[in-house]
Amino acid sequence: EVQLLESGGGLVQPGGSLRLSCVVSGFTFTTYAMSWVRQAPGKGLEWVSAISAAAGSTYYADSVKGRFTISRDNSKNTLFLQMNSLRDDDTAVYYCAKDFRSSWFFDFWGQGTLVTVSS
Amino acid sequence: SYELTQPPSVSVSPGQTARITCSGDALPKQYAYWYQQKAGQAPVLLIYKDRERPSGIPERFSGSSSGTVVTLTISGVQAEDEADYYCQSVDSTPLFGGGTKLTVL
């Protein structure tokens, strides 16, 4: 059974930092690209960042470029999102999602972790 | 920049057919994908590559494409289908539509 479990969310002040983690199981992690997708309260889905299977390539939405860094540890089946210079509009549930054969769509999602940026 | 446009809401009675559209200029050249998100839950992939259904997705969910519009059709709508539905495509990176809330009357 494929499972993705996010952690690391919480309350942070504007300008602060957080590091999200996503531990996966049930599939060969090293074979698949992975993404982070977020959803602000009461709003729609927004793709945030992606990383290739071997971590050789990373991609970012313009809204987070220069502030967020995606990475992965294939030896630990874990995906990360380092978030710096956080802003109020970064408040959202952050989902990690498995890419289907590097096709830029997502066949499995975690349950999400809530990040709240507020003073 | 490229956008995907969905109606904010669609309402249908149980047993009827619901159609949710998604329009975008690049859809003739890019595949569309559909997700269902029930309240408080993570999204679930319903349709990929315009019309393919992942294993485990009921046959009442189907997708189609015509020019700049793709359509998610739910035949014989059930109360459990009440949810938000999102289309997604690719514009160098993934892009989501704004979502459609399906209400089962």
Side-chain angles (χ1 to χ4, degrees), chain A residues 8-18 20 36-41 43-44 46-49 60-69 81-95 113-118:
Chain A
L11 175 63
V12 61
Q13 292 188 338
S17 299
L18 273 181
L20 306 183
W36 289 96
V37 178
R38 69 183 180 183
Q39 186 171 34
K43 302 296 184 182
E46 179 189 16
W47 173 82
V48 172
S49 182
Y60 299 94
D62 288 343
S63 58
V64 307
K65 200 171 294 183
R67 300 187 299 121
F68 290 11
T69 302
L81 186 68
Q82 177 67 43
M83 304 186 296
N84 298 332
S85 302
L86 283 161
R87 311 186 303 218
D88 290 352
D89 61 359
D90 293 318
T91 294
V93 173
Y94 285 73
Y95 297 99
T113 186
L114 176 62
V115 172
T116 303
V117 184
S118 175

Side-chain angles (χ1 to χ4, degrees), chain A residues 39 44 95 104-106 109-110, chain B residues 33 35 37 42-43 48 86 88 94:
Chain A
Q39 186 171 34
Y95 297 99
W104 285 123
F105 71 97
F106 314 109
W109 299 62
Chain B
Y33 313 94
Y35 303 88
Q37 186 180 32
Y48 66 97
Y86 293 91
Q88 183 233 312

Side-chain angles (χ1 to χ4, degrees), chain B residues 32-46:
Chain B
Y33 313 94
W34 289 95
Y35 303 88
Q36 176 193 64
Q37 186 180 32
K38 296 183 178 180
Q41 298 184 20
V44 171
L45 179 66
L46 284 181

Side-chain angles (χ1 to χ4, degrees), chain B residues 20 27 29 35 37 41 57 67 69 83 91-93 101 104:
Chain B
I20 299 173
L27 288 176
K29 302 184 293 292
Y35 303 88
Q37 186 180 32
Q41 298 184 20
I57 300 301
V69 179
D91 176 27
S92 70
T93 54
K101 181 175 182 59
V104 182

